[in-house]
Amino acid sequence: MQKYLAKSNPPETIQEHTDNLLKNYQTLKKLYPEINIDWYLLELVCLLHDLGKMNRLFQKKVGNGSGVGKEIPHGYLSVAFVPYSKLEDLGYSEDEIQVVYQAIARHHERKKDFTEQEWETEIEKLSEQWETFFYERLADNADYSSEIDEIYFYPEARIFEGENTVEIENFKNYVQLKGLLNRIDFAASAGIDVELENDFLQESMEHQLANFREKNAAADWNLLQKYMLEHQNENVVVIAETGMGKTEAGLLWLGNHKGFFTLPLRTAINAIYTRVTREIVTDKQAQRVGLLHSETYSQYLLHEENTEMEIDEYYTRTRQMSLPVTICTLDQLFDFVFRYAGFEHKLATLSYSKVIIDEIQMYSPDLLAYLILGLSYIDKFGGKFCVMTATLPGIVLDLLHDNEVDFIQPEEKFVSERVRHSVEVVHTEIDSAFIEPFFAGNRILVICNTISKAKKIYSELKAMFPNKKVRLIHSQFIKKDRSKKEEEIFEDGQKDNPESCIWVATQVVEASLDIDFDLLFTELSDINGLFQRMGRCYRNRALDVDTNVYVFDGGEKVCSGVGQFIDKTIFMNSKKALEKCNGALTEMKKMEIVEQIYSTEALKKSEFYDELTQALNYVKSFDSYELDKKEVRSKFRNINSITAIPATVWQENKEEITSYMEILARSSKEVSKKEKMIARTNLAEFMLNIPDYLYKKSEGEVHRINRYETVIEFKCDYSEDIGIIMQEKQKESLFF
């Protein structure tokens, strides 16, 4: 018997690799038997997917033979072994058999750069290898044929979503079969389990309740949490005020199922991950709860419970979506709505998963569009979702209905009678002189719409109180300094902190930090953003002062940022609604105002509405597989900034920066993957995102690390107190 390799490093035969796939197939079938998949066909594609690797050119590539010619991607050759006669005898339809061929041919998405004649020639050559290949587990599940009927497969063929019922069902079957084959194959190649069982979360939540009862014998799940527990098997949209225990509610709804917990901001995700792994799932975290965003590895390094030996495997499990619970950003999951080549494994996974969407009101119009479409697909494919939010724009419900998404809502909102905020609307631009008299004995938070306005107010307040604690936080600090500031504002923002201070910020603090200041002075942005900002003041305490929130509405003018990244129509409607908000403001009143201002009717003449509907139509207009993954990542993240290191920072830390670049430049034989990840993480500490408009006003010097990576040194000054300082006066108007 001839030995044919599937991989060369370390050497692994096609049979050994397929054994690993079948092991993961059995794991998936055991843990999730309810998946809407034909299990025999899934097993079949696992058996056949790599048989095309027998071809001489592939074997030459892995150092196991010789050959001359043009190598055809092995998936396109593996289709030669589909036992179509057996499938016909078993009663499978033409469409179902096509799905089998396509899943095998395209299990790796490769650009087709060969002719049909070249493909047919390589198929014919496989007969010689087939005669010397033996794998007992194939039995009668493989049947070599040098000629493939075009009704089942030809290289240019694709299975598209289509519009009629038959085409839609065929597409769903293809996504499920190819997506699950991909998951199983990726896991086998990575040497991990395709899925780890969630047999712990319900028990962990019961332990959490027992911990609460140790402090208060009468403690119990609140009405929100009980509602979510009672509706575990349904799609749910709930509105609940801040402080109602939405994290626990989401986890109770998830129960012992596979799930994804999504939030808008990385800092919020990091905080939830830390809390869940240290307070709720306190054992075997690396097998149970993952953190998935663009800085996952660096976050894992920060957690001492992640031992050095297991971080790489933990990271791999997380990236492969093998963990029972994953806390992640929207872009890590919902980019599948673009249906790019290779998206199937995500949607197939979500078809048997539950997805928690927290703080939906924080998403921009384009991300909200992707979210609506994503929930539509999850619903159609059999997955479940819950949306939990403090305020719910009315347009979201209309769009879910328009896209035929099935969900339930409780009759009442989960909101307490307590009053946390009393508002005074100030009909001027934000003014440091107005703020000055309030400093004595208070912890003050000032939030501006733009960085330039925040810098101005900070400079004025710093001049007024040169010996007092006045700090500034926004997005134009390098990561190292931003992290320090986040830690410091978190400490200063605890309600039992006796030290008076002033923090000037942008909307980076709107939903990312669990802080509770005494007084809030803020520019009006839009009503939703305003209520988010209010949540940073008297976060979890009842009102005990006459006024704790001062909102500057711009007077005769508009506030900074309006007409740029703040929708002018929504701003003006918010300004009008605020006229009735002087004094105490209940949580119910806040929710009613948001529903009113963000209703479909109120938004129809706004840019927000145009952007949202355009984004929906834009994504729907694409044919499946029209875009590649790289294009989609760019579109999804709406990248409008450059990652760089300020020149001042570069010069002050040149030796350290250069040392990390040197590690990244070395080959994988010289430096381990882990060493490179640590170097990349440390290098990122000196970086920040510079908006396009600002980047274009100066120069950037590109330093090459290796063939694939560069680092940009941006010509500007930098201060750890102020952030970026342009070397000549610039008109700045950054979003946050």
Side-chain angles (χ1 to χ4, degrees):
M1 181 184 75
Q2 181 71 36
K3 180 179 178 181
Y4 294 103
L5 294 180
K7 301 181 186 302
S8 59
N9 188 25
E12 182 180 56
T13 65
I14 293 173
Q15 294 94 325
E16 289 168 337
H17 178 60
T18 307
D19 283 344
N20 289 330
L21 262 79
L22 294 176
K23 177 185 172 186
N24 274 313
Y25 162 83
Q26 291 296 342
T27 298
L28 189 67
K29 188 175 182 181
K30 177 186 174 185
L31 295 181
Y32 300 103
E34 73 281 3
I35 295 175
N36 184 23
I37 189 73
D38 185 309
W39 290 102
Y40 168 66
L41 293 186
L42 181 56
E43 183 178 25
L44 181 67
V45 296
C46 288
L47 283 165
L48 305 182
H49 80 293
D50 266 2
L51 294 183
K53 286 183 175 179
M54 283 187 279
N55 80 84
R56 288 181 176 179
L57 292 170
F58 182 87
Q59 291 302 309
K60 178 185 178 183
K61 184 168 70 176
V62 293
N64 189 42
S66 61
V68 178
K70 184 177 187 177
E71 185 188 346
I72 307 295
H74 66 268
Y76 287 93
L77 302 180
S78 297
V79 296
F81 302 97
V82 175
Y84 63 89
S85 295
K86 177 181 179 179
L87 294 176
E88 291 171 341
D89 292 342
L90 288 171
Y92 286 101
S93 68
E94 182 180 306
D95 285 340
E96 290 169 322
I97 297 173
Q98 284 177 358
V99 165
V100 172
Y101 275 94
Q102 287 287 343
I104 292 170
R106 299 183 183 278
H107 73 273
H108 293 299
E109 291 289 350
R110 304 269 162 78
K111 290 193 182 295
K112 181 183 169 295
D113 62 350
F114 55 87
T115 66
E116 195 155 331
Q117 182 59 55
E118 288 171 331
W119 171 66
E120 290 173 353
T121 299
E122 288 303 312
I123 291 278
E124 289 174 6
K125 289 179 182 178
L126 280 174
S127 62
E128 184 180 337
Q129 282 80 44
W130 180 237
E131 290 174 6
T132 61
F133 182 85
F134 175 74
Y135 182 36
E136 61 183 8
R137 298 180 76 167
L138 280 177
D140 64 346
N141 291 310
D143 185 13
Y144 170 76
S145 174
S146 61
E147 294 184 3
I148 297 168
D149 195 324
E150 283 197 358
I151 65 166
Y152 292 137
F153 182 79
Y154 58 93
E156 286 79 15
R158 268 280 194 193
I159 293 176
F160 291 95
E161 191 163 5
E163 295 182 359
N164 64 54
T165 304
V166 173
E167 289 174 334
I168 291 170
E169 192 61 28
N170 206 37
F171 179 75
K172 284 173 65 176
N173 292 338
Y174 170 66
V175 169
Q176 288 289 82
L177 193 63
K178 178 182 182 292
L180 294 179
L181 170 61
N182 284 151
R183 285 289 315 286
I184 290 167
D185 190 20
F186 296 161
S189 296
I192 61 171
D193 292 322
V194 66
E195 289 289 358
L196 293 168
E197 186 176 6
N198 184 348
D199 57 359
F200 59 88
L201 189 55
Q202 285 182 189
E203 186 179 352
S204 296
M205 295 307 295
E206 289 167 10
H207 285 160
Q208 180 79 332
L209 182 57
N211 292 336
F212 293 153
R213 284 175 174 163
E214 285 181 8
K215 299 173 184 176
N216 175 9
D220 197 3
W221 299 124
N222 63 29
L223 291 176
L224 165 67
Q225 293 157 349
K226 287 179 179 177
Y227 180 88
M228 298 301 286
L229 192 55
E230 291 164 3
H231 294 86
Q232 281 187 332
N233 298 317
E234 296 171 274
N235 296 332
V236 183
V237 176
V238 295
I239 305 172
E241 71 171 281
T242 300
M244 290 289 283
K246 292 200 293 293
T247 300
E248 284 83 359
L251 295 175
L252 286 167
W253 175 81
L254 179 56
N256 281 1
H257 294 87
K258 183 177 182 68
F260 297 86
F261 198 123
T262 71
L263 293 108
L265 299 169
R266 278 200 304 266
T267 44
I269 290 166
N270 294 340
I272 292 286
Y273 170 76
T274 299
R275 187 173 165 227
V276 169
T277 54
R278 292 182 179 171
E279 296 179 18
I280 299 173
V281 183
T282 57
D283 190 32
K284 300 179 182 177
Q285 294 99 328
Q287 288 81 43
R288 293 177 168 178
V289 182
L291 176 73
L292 185 57
H293 55 55
S294 58
E295 297 175 3
T296 295
Y297 200 95
S298 60
Q299 282 300 309
Y300 281 174
L301 289 171
L302 295 175
H303 285 255
E304 63 274 6
E305 60 267 28
N306 300 331
T307 64
E308 289 189 10
M309 289 295 290
E310 69 177 9
I311 282 182
D312 282 349
E313 187 173 345
Y314 188 16
Y315 180 70
T316 301
R317 285 193 208 111
T318 305
R319 299 296 302 175
Q320 299 292 351
M321 301 195 297
S322 296
L323 293 166
V325 181
T326 304
I327 303 166
C328 60
T329 47
L330 195 71
D331 65 293
Q332 294 292 339
L333 282 186
F334 279 67
D335 60 351
F336 74 81
V337 298
F338 282 93
R339 306 175 313 286
Y340 57 84
F343 80 93
E344 298 88 355
H345 71 285
K346 290 189 178 180
L347 186 49
T349 301
L350 293 172
S351 76
Y352 61 93
S353 301
K354 300 173 79 172
V355 183
I356 301 164
I357 310 292
D358 197 2
E359 303 298 356
I360 196 171
Q361 78 283 353
M362 288 292 295
Y363 291 111
S364 59
D366 54 344
L367 291 180
L368 188 56
Y370 307 152
L371 178 60
I372 298 293
L373 288 175
L375 295 180
S376 171
Y377 274 110
I378 289 169
D379 182 38
K380 289 182 177 69
F381 272 72
K384 297 295 178 187
F385 70 85
C386 81
V387 173
M388 301 186 302
T389 185
T391 53
L392 181 67
I395 193 172
V396 171
L397 296 177
D398 290 342
L399 288 171
L400 288 172
H401 286 304
D402 291 347
N403 285 273
E404 300 179 341
V405 182
D406 183 41
F407 64 93
I408 63 168
Q409 269 190 290
E411 291 182 7
E412 296 182 4
K413 301 176 179 69
F414 296 100
V415 57
S416 68
E417 295 297 320
R418 68 177 177 173
V419 177
R420 296 184 295 143
H421 301 114
S422 181
V423 177
E424 179 180 324
V425 180
V426 185
H427 301 297
T428 65
E429 295 182 73
I430 193 164
D431 181 9
S432 54
F434 184 98
I435 300 168
E436 183 181 11
F438 293 90
F439 191 20
N442 284 311
R443 293 172 303 111
I444 293 174
L445 180 62
V446 182
I447 304 182
C448 302
N449 293 342
T450 62
I451 289 178
S452 56
K453 180 69 75 173
K455 287 179 177 178
K456 177 178 182 293
I457 296 295
Y458 166 76
S459 297
E460 291 170 357
L461 290 170
K462 188 69 177 172
M464 291 172 184
F465 304 105
N467 301 315
K468 301 290 186 179
K469 188 169 190 178
V470 182
R471 299 286 188 271
L472 174 66
I473 184 170
H474 52 67
S475 65
Q476 284 183 6
F477 289 99
I478 62 172
K479 187 181 175 188
K480 180 165 62 173
D481 293 339
R482 169 92 173 260
S483 297
K484 286 179 187 173
K485 286 176 178 290
E486 286 175 352
E487 290 174 10
E488 191 177 5
I489 193 174
F490 178 79
E491 291 174 6
D492 289 342
Q494 300 310 300
K495 63 183 179 183
D496 55 357
N497 190 324
E499 185 182 1
S500 60
C501 62
I502 299 179
W503 275 88
V504 182
T506 56
Q507 54 261 54
V508 292
V509 300
E510 277 184 16
S512 59
L513 296 168
D514 187 3
I515 50 180
D516 186 351
F517 280 79
D518 299 323
L519 293 173
L520 171 68
F521 297 84
T522 178
E523 283 190 282
L524 175 62
S525 54
D526 62 274
I527 209 73
N528 220 337
L530 173 62
F531 293 158
Q532 284 294 315
R533 294 175 185 188
M534 286 187 187
R536 309 311 110 189
C537 168
Y538 274 61
R539 183 168 177 78
N540 281 309
R541 47 179 161 153
L543 185 69
D544 57 3
V545 294
D546 291 336
T547 305
N548 58 358
V549 176
Y550 296 86
V551 183
F552 296 83
D553 70 1
E556 296 299 315
K557 302 178 181 178
V558 296
C559 293
S560 64
V562 175
Q564 298 166 46
F565 58 92
I566 298 170
D567 186 284
K568 190 169 183 178
T569 300
I570 295 175
F571 172 83
M572 296 308 294
N573 289 344
S574 300
K575 189 172 182 176
K576 186 174 181 180
L578 271 183
E579 292 173 3
K580 304 172 185 177
C581 291
N582 269 310
L585 190 60
T586 65
E587 298 304 307
M588 183 62 78
K589 181 66 174 176
K590 292 177 189 175
M591 293 176 182
E592 290 171 356
I593 292 171
V594 168
E595 289 177 14
Q596 169 196 334
I597 289 178
Y598 283 87
S599 69
T600 303
E601 191 62 35
L603 287 174
K604 276 196 169 172
K605 294 181 181 179
S606 69
E607 289 184 16
F608 180 96
Y609 182 83
D610 290 343
E611 286 180 38
L612 178 54
T613 53
Q614 284 170 14
L616 279 164
N617 294 330
Y618 176 66
V619 179
K620 288 179 179 179
S621 72
F622 284 107
D623 286 330
S624 299
Y625 315 111
E626 188 173 334
L627 302 176
D628 64 30
K629 189 172 182 179
K630 189 175 180 181
E631 288 178 282
V632 168
R633 298 305 280 178
S634 177
K635 290 177 184 295
F636 197 94
R637 288 176 174 172
N638 194 17
I639 297 169
N640 59 358
S641 62
I642 307 294
T643 301
I645 299 175
T648 307
V649 174
W650 189 289
Q651 297 307 318
E652 291 174 355
N653 301 274
K654 189 171 185 177
E655 188 175 333
E656 188 176 351
I657 290 169
T658 304
S659 71
Y660 298 138
M661 292 173 64
E662 287 172 352
I663 291 171
L664 293 172
R666 291 161 71 183
S667 71
S668 56
K669 292 180 181 178
E670 299 174 292
V671 179
S672 70
K673 175 186 173 184
K674 183 171 183 179
E675 286 177 290
K676 287 199 172 190
M677 290 296 278
I678 291 172
R680 190 170 284 112
T681 298
N682 289 335
L683 183 60
E685 291 291 302
F686 298 104
M687 294 180 177
L688 50 69
N689 290 325
I690 298 169
D692 280 345
Y693 81 90
L694 208 55
Y695 185 77
K696 291 171 182 174
K697 293 180 179 179
S698 187
E699 297 177 9
E701 183 178 349
V702 179
H703 298 265
R704 181 157 296 282
I705 297 175
N706 53 39
R707 184 178 170 187
Y708 305 103
E709 295 177 279
T710 58
V711 178
I712 295 173
E713 178 186 352
F714 182 58
K715 303 298 182 185
C716 68
D717 291 327
Y718 178 85
S719 158
E720 64 181 30
D721 295 324
I722 298 173
I724 284 180
I725 303 165
M726 299 303 290
Q727 292 172 345
E728 58 182 83
K729 187 174 177 61
Q730 302 288 344
K731 182 182 178 183
E732 298 180 34
S733 57
L734 185 61
F735 322 131
F736 48 126

